[in-house]
Amino acid sequence: MAMWLRLKITLLLLLSTNVLESYGFTQRSWSESADLANKTVALLTLDEKIGMVTGVGQFNSRCVGNIKPPNRSLSITTSSNTVLNVSIPPLCFQDGPAGLRLVKNVTGFPTGINAASTFSRRLMRARGEALGEEFRGKGVNVFLGPAMDIMRNPKAGRGWESFGPDPYLNGEGAYETIIGVQSAGVMACAKHYLANNQEHWRYGLSANVDERTLREMYWWPFMRSIDANVSSVMCAYNRLNGTSSCHNEDLIGLLSEGGFQGFVVSDWGATHDSATDNALAGLDMEQPGDFILIGGGVYGNGLKNAVNDGSVPVEVLNGMVAKILTPWFVLGQDQGFPAINFDAQHADGSGNLNLNVNVRTDAHTELTREIGRASAVLLKNNRTTTDGTPTGTTIRGLPVSQERIKSIAIIGRDAKLPNLDCNPPLTAGLNQCNDGTMSIGWGSGSNSLDFIVPPNTAIRDFVGNSATITESLSNDRPAGPNAAIGKDLAIVFANAMSGELGFYFVVDGNQGDRNDLDLWFKGGSLIEAVAAVNNNTVVVIHSVGPVPMPWSNHPNITAIIYAGAPGEQTGPSLVDVIWGAYNPRGRLPFTIADSEDDYGTTIVYNSITGFPTIDYTERLLLDYRYMDSKNIAPRFEFGFGLSYTKFEYSSLSISSSGSSQVVSFTIKNTGGLDGTEIPQLYLGFPGSAGEPEKVLRGFDEVDLKAGESKQVSLTISEREMSVWDTPSHSWVRPQGTFEVFVGASVKDIRLTGSF
Ligand SMILES: *[C@@H]1O[C@H](CO)[C@@H](O)[C@H](O)[C@H]1NC(C)=O
Ligand SMILES: *[C@@H]1O[C@H](CO)[C@@H](O)[C@H](O)[C@H]1NC(C)=O
Ligand SMILES: *[C@@H]1O[C@H](CO)[C@@H](O)[C@H](O)[C@H]1NC(C)=O
Ligand SMILES: *[C@@H]1O[C@H](CO)[C@@H](O)[C@H](O)[C@H]1NC(C)=O
Ligand SMILES: *[C@@H]1O[C@H](CO)[C@@H](O)[C@H](O)[C@H]1NC(C)=O
Ligand SMILES: *[C@@H]1O[C@H](CO)[C@@H](O)[C@H](O)[C@H]1NC(C)=O
Ligand SMILES: *[C@@H]1O[C@H](CO)[C@@H](O)[C@H](O)[C@H]1NC(C)=O
Ligand SMILES: *[C@@H]1O[C@H](CO)[C@@H](O)[C@H](O)[C@H]1NC(C)=O
Ligand SMILES: *[C@@H]1O[C@H](CO)[C@@H](O)[C@H](O)[C@H]1NC(C)=O
């Protein structure tokens, strides 16, 4: 035990210098806000209404998108007969899901996929709150996130922005992020609606999805977004069933049927055909307002003409404006919301106004580090100790003993500081020139890496004089293995990246989507070459999604950490895990299999006939659901992750509570260390339901001191026990016996029961 006590880590405990401690607004109910919105709309001229629903143009925007508000104060009388003077700002829309894009002095938060890896609603929400705080501070009215695109294929370019291939986990990630962001009074924007699942051909491919698959897989996280009272939804570039998402009346109609009361905004340039098509289908706002790439420029005068000639009734336009204003009133953005204080047209900061509004806080830095370490997944650990007992000092494997390990090699380009000044100004800050550690993918979902602490720096800072460090910060051989020879420990870093399609974003031959699942820059060969010469090789993978790990059973590889895309505190969060100040508890939000065939879907790269049609024939079978159906034994399964301690499960009981089922059980920490277990609940539907063998329906994080036991209860709601019944177009709970599987991963089931 002494070893653990000696490990110390200096966490930033400085008091936050946050200027946003008290937001000073009161939320309103949706009905009161809809009333205020209607009253506001009644005072607007036609031109003012058109200005409210049309972006001001890509190069005229201070943010990635703005609207042109009425240039006057509007006095309305509230239901309680008080006068409210309303000045609508030029509504600022800004990416993105992991922090402010194209803005200096902001935090580079962990990605969505890492938030998913924590399996922690608490951390997902805290991340949302911190994002909301920074977006509010910079005067951003609408946070363009969270992304909740299901990782239909593991190579999907933007998969890392969302929460993985499982709809339930995506839904929980979306829900908590939205509640968090909106608690700061910032509107969230659920995206991308719908079936935006690959980058190649995304501007026009048609995803053909049957109704049940649509509801149970792709709609699910949007349904959870509506549960969270999301303010807006972004319609996607692609077509669904042949019709562009942004003028797909059936698709947009599902939102209001589902209780959505906010507005639908187009993805940037995702509008096609006429203003009438889009407005009548339910598109409330077009961004950025002019033509970009392949679409846009539909509203503005086009919409004004359509209203004037009667093809779009003015009531429809009134409704569009009201839906935009309703969440604005709900979140009290009329009450002292900060003005925009950055300029996205000058990503280098040269055009920034009011730079002293510093929204980056020590608390955000610490949260980023905490999510980084809580999302690091320990996949393998062959620890040996001096006396052969679990409490002895580590000789090989993790956690590393600072007293025992005296020489360390740090190997791989993924350990070093990346290029931060990449082709400014047009594409600055989008991280497509990464030549160092991967902490986020590239494109509009990327964020500022100005404050990144790469692994090599963090390790050097931590180790100090306690060991000698040799660096080989490339993937070159024999340099890497040469550095590893004779060292007590070799830490090899390797990565795989992906990002958003864009005409300037072909990175090492990858157009957004990865070309294959492999590690980049021959990372796998580097790992094998180092393991061949050092019998205490620890592998760290930074990747946007699964990568095959054919070397995982190599006897000299004593530990593997899958660190994902953890954001700017990547180095310090790894130090916390590797040297044991933090007991790992992260879990895989997808399965790591040996080949792409094991996933059952493909990316359509080539299409000689232009925009392809992609039939979602795999239906409900993605990732672990597909592998279960084909009896594929994956290398590391969904939900898997090791700890430095051990947990035992016992005493399962299942009871009904109203229309819900409550599943209770006990977890005991039987190892010698405090730790956190992530119990997961998978449901086996009655055979007649036609569901996958096991479907995730619950998880929790349970902190347990060494020796401690706790009872855990997970509730399954009626909807979570239901399937989408296409004939009746509704959720129906199937008749028959449900099986309950509780365990530490989808394959490590410890308790079973039924109801
Ligand atoms: C959503 O809004 C409704 C009506 O304003 C409110 O009753 C409900 O509590 C909100 N839900 C959440 C999760 O905030
Ligand atoms: C706002 O106006 C719309 C018609 O445009 C109406 O359907 C709705 O009920 C009104 N809401 C409130 C709260 O007055
Ligand atoms: C708003 O109106 C004022 C005059 O009342 C004018 O000076 C200003 O330029 C206008 N702003 C915009 C953005 O049109
Ligand atoms: C609202 O604006 C009017 C003039 O436009 C002004 O007379 C009145 O005092 C304002 N009321 C409040 C509450 O600010
Ligand atoms: C898409 O087409 C399929 C098959 O034709 C149909 O079942 C489904 O309801 C359609 N989805 C939408 C949103 O129109
Ligand atoms: C960052 O914020 C500080 C004030 O906290 C300011 O002095 C500095 O200019 C800002 N830097 C940039 C690049 O915006
Ligand atoms: C190494 O650890 C893995 C799990 O992390 C385990 O399956 C394997 O048996 C261990 N091998 C040895 C030699 O201890
Ligand atoms: C690992 O290699 C070191 C020399 O670098 C050697 O002293 C040690 O015995 C080896 N351990 C094992 C388990 O092979
Ligand atoms: C493991 O490392 C040792 C050096 O410590 C080396 O001699 C041995 O060949 C390696 N084993 C494998 C299987 O590569």
Side-chain angles (χ1 to χ4, degrees):
M1 288 305 291
M3 172 184 94
W4 304 100
L5 299 175
R6 276 198 293 277
L7 293 171
K8 261 196 316 197
I9 202 98
T10 315
L11 301 180
L12 288 165
L13 291 173
L14 300 171
L15 275 182
S16 160
T17 52
N18 180 9
V19 292
L20 308 163
E21 264 139 21
S22 156
Y23 296 126
F25 71 90
T26 343
Q27 283 208 16
R28 297 188 183 90
S29 73
W30 282 83
S31 54
E32 182 189 356
S33 302
D35 175 57
L36 296 176
N38 281 0
K39 286 171 173 159
T40 308
V41 173
L43 301 177
L44 301 182
T45 65
L46 177 59
D47 283 329
E48 286 172 333
K49 292 174 195 170
I50 298 292
M52 286 290 303
V53 301
T54 313
V56 297
Q58 148 176 229
F59 296 111
N60 302 324
S61 305
R62 274 284 294 281
C63 308
V64 303
N66 289 104
I67 53 129
K68 183 169 174 234
N71 187 12
R72 60 195 174 105
S73 171
L74 306 156
S75 291
I76 56 177
T77 307
T78 68
S79 51
S80 54
N81 261 327
T82 53
V83 174
L84 187 66
N85 289 344
V86 177
S87 294
I88 304 167
L91 295 185
C92 171
F93 293 74
Q94 191 74 8
D95 293 299
L100 281 142
R101 164 190 175 193
L102 304 172
V103 181
K104 294 283 176 187
N105 266 7
V106 296
T107 303
F109 287 99
T111 56
I113 199 69
N114 278 59
S117 270
T118 67
F119 279 74
S120 165
R121 292 182 177 84
R122 174 183 61 89
L123 291 173
M124 290 169 178
R125 184 172 301 197
R127 174 175 170 272
E129 287 166 354
L131 283 163
E133 199 164 86
E134 295 205 2
F135 277 68
R136 180 186 182 92
K138 297 310 285 184
V140 178
N141 301 87
V142 183
F143 160 78
L144 296 176
M148 53 198 74
D149 303 310
I150 301 283
M151 190 186 269
R152 177 171 175 264
N153 179 278
K155 297 181 299 182
R158 300 182 74 176
W160 53 271
E161 294 185 39
S162 312
F163 309 98
D166 183 80
Y168 178 84
L169 185 55
N170 247 290
E172 297 314 289
Y175 180 88
E176 296 299 341
T177 308
I178 292 163
I179 301 259
V181 166
Q182 296 196 161
S183 73
V186 172
M187 297 187 249
C189 183
K191 71 186 192 183
H192 305 83
Y193 193 62
L194 192 82
N196 188 164
N197 304 122
Q198 67 166 57
E199 292 303 288
H200 282 78
W201 302 104
R202 70 170 183 179
Y203 294 115
L205 69 78
S206 180
N208 283 10
V209 189
D210 69 85
E211 189 175 317
R212 178 168 174 182
T213 302
L214 185 143
R215 291 291 191 157
E216 293 190 25
M217 304 296 287
Y218 302 93
W219 161 259
W220 186 282
F222 288 91
M223 176 178 77
R224 291 293 285 146
S225 303
I226 298 171
D227 291 345
N229 285 333
V230 72
S231 295
S232 62
V233 169
M234 184 189 291
C235 50
Y237 284 122
N238 58 284
R239 291 176 295 149
L240 183 80
N241 280 6
T243 308
S244 288
S245 299
C246 291
H247 68 73
N248 191 325
E249 191 178 352
D250 292 341
L251 178 63
I252 296 176
L254 302 183
L255 293 168
S256 43
E257 280 168 37
F260 175 62
Q261 297 178 69
F263 63 96
V264 178
V265 58
S266 71
D267 202 341
W268 271 227
T271 43
H272 304 284
D273 305 319
S274 71
T276 308
D277 288 332
N278 288 275
L280 297 185
L283 177 72
D284 300 308
M285 182 189 291
E286 178 187 65
Q287 284 291 353
D290 48 7
F291 185 89
I292 62 166
L293 295 170
I294 54 105
V298 169
Y299 280 3
N301 280 334
L303 183 58
K304 184 176 174 182
N305 293 339
V307 173
N308 280 332
D309 73 18
S311 50
V312 173
V314 73
E315 293 74 26
V316 170
L317 178 62
N318 291 346
M320 291 159 62
V321 179
K323 283 189 220 153
I324 295 164
L325 287 173
T326 300
W328 185 74
F329 280 116
V330 169
L331 296 177
Q333 290 197 359
D334 58 319
Q335 305 161 41
F337 196 84
I340 303 165
N341 58 79
F342 65 97
D343 184 353
Q345 300 291 342
H346 298 92
D348 57 357
S350 62
N352 283 8
L353 302 177
N354 204 359
L355 283 175
N356 289 327
V357 179
N358 189 8
V359 295
R360 191 186 149 79
T361 66
D362 295 335
H364 296 178
T365 307
E366 180 48 27
L367 177 67
T368 300
R369 180 173 180 165
E370 186 181 355
I371 295 173
R373 60 192 176 213
S375 59
V377 187
L378 181 62
L379 294 177
K380 173 181 180 179
N381 190 16
N382 288 138
R383 178 168 175 247
T384 49
T385 59
T386 40
D387 60 3
T389 71
T391 48
T393 303
T394 310
I395 304 171
R396 295 167 77 221
L398 298 181
V400 169
S401 157
Q402 213 173 346
E403 101 195 49
R404 180 88 196 183
I405 298 295
K406 294 297 174 191
S407 57
I408 302 171
I410 303 174
I411 298 159
R413 55 187 277 158
D414 182 70
K416 72 173 185 187
L417 186 71
N419 177 4
L420 298 178
D421 190 23
C422 170
N423 299 343
L426 181 61
T427 62
L430 300 180
N431 296 329
Q432 77 281 21
C433 307
N434 192 334
D435 59 355
T437 194
M438 199 285 296
S439 65
I440 190 163
W442 73 82
S444 63
S446 67
N447 59 23
S448 161
L449 294 183
D450 289 346
F451 298 92
I452 190 169
V453 185
N456 71 325
T457 307
I459 293 171
R460 281 185 170 285
D461 285 355
F462 177 79
V463 167
N465 296 326
S466 69
T468 60
I469 290 186
T470 309
E471 291 181 336
S472 174
L473 301 178
S474 74
N475 284 15
D476 293 348
R477 279 158 289 139
N482 282 349
I485 291 173
K487 303 299 188 307
D488 293 342
L489 168 68
I491 312 180
V492 200
F493 291 83
N495 67 32
M497 313 193 234
S498 73
E500 185 182 19
L501 174 73
F503 47 89
Y504 35 69
F505 296 147
V506 179
V507 181
D508 207 39
N510 296 259
Q511 290 182 40
D513 305 312
R514 288 191 275 164
N515 290 339
D516 54 50
L517 287 180
D518 294 341
L519 287 166
W520 283 33
F521 315 117
K522 300 190 167 31
S525 307
L526 178 70
I527 291 165
E528 285 171 340
V530 171
V533 298
N534 187 299
N535 67 20
N536 190 17
T537 297
V538 170
V539 176
V540 176
I541 301 297
H542 284 119
S543 171
V544 288
V547 291
M549 299 184 177
W551 32 261
S552 73
N553 292 324
H554 194 294
N556 283 352
I557 296 180
T558 48
I560 304 171
I561 296 173
Y562 176 85
E568 60 162 59
Q569 296 301 309
T570 173
S573 61
L574 271 172
V575 164
D576 295 346
V577 170
I578 293 176
W579 274 270
Y582 187 81
N583 192 347
R585 37 72 59 92
R587 300 302 169 104
L588 287 178
F590 43 66
T591 300
I592 294 180
D594 288 344
S595 106
E596 193 192 346
D597 294 344
D598 297 339
Y599 294 88
T601 58
T602 52
I603 297 280
V604 177
Y605 297 99
N606 302 308
S607 171
I608 43 169
T609 54
F611 291 121
T613 292
I614 302 180
D615 294 320
Y616 283 32
T617 50
E618 77 285 352
R619 307 191 70 220
L620 312 177
L621 299 178
L622 294 183
D623 200 84
Y624 67 90
R625 297 153 164 239
Y626 176 76
M627 295 181 209
D628 278 351
S629 78
K630 297 283 177 196
N631 282 319
I632 294 166
R635 196 159 287 251
F636 299 111
E637 72 274 11
F638 181 91
F640 177 76
L642 298 169
S643 165
Y644 296 151
T645 187
K646 292 203 172 339
F647 302 97
E648 264 174 29
Y649 289 61
S650 62
S651 314
L652 181 77
S653 70
I654 304 172
S655 59
S656 350
S657 164
S659 60
S660 301
Q661 293 288 329
V662 180
V663 176
S664 301
F665 50 93
T666 300
I667 305 183
K668 181 173 188 191
N669 180 346
T670 56
L673 273 181
D674 300 352
T676 302
E677 174 65 335
I678 308 287
Q680 298 149 49
L681 188 161
Y682 297 88
L683 203 56
F685 281 76
S688 60
E691 283 292 297
E693 200 173 303
K694 294 196 194 86
V695 173
L696 182 70
R697 280 293 182 261
F699 59 84
D700 204 351
E701 57 176 336
V702 185
D703 297 334
L704 290 163
K705 302 233 174 290
E708 191 184 8
S709 297
K710 276 186 190 161
Q711 202 195 29
V712 181
S713 291
L714 302 176
T715 301
I716 317 169
S717 72
E718 171 93 10
R719 188 173 65 188
E720 290 163 353
M721 290 178 249
S722 298
V723 301
W724 186 261
D725 180 59
T726 300
S728 68
H729 307 295
S730 62
W731 294 106
V732 171
R733 179 178 165 174
Q735 296 298 308
T737 302
F738 286 80
E739 284 179 283
V740 172
F741 306 94
V742 171
S745 80
V746 71
K747 291 278 179 198
D748 185 6
I749 300 302
R750 309 288 183 87
L751 302 169
T752 55
S754 62
F755 62 83

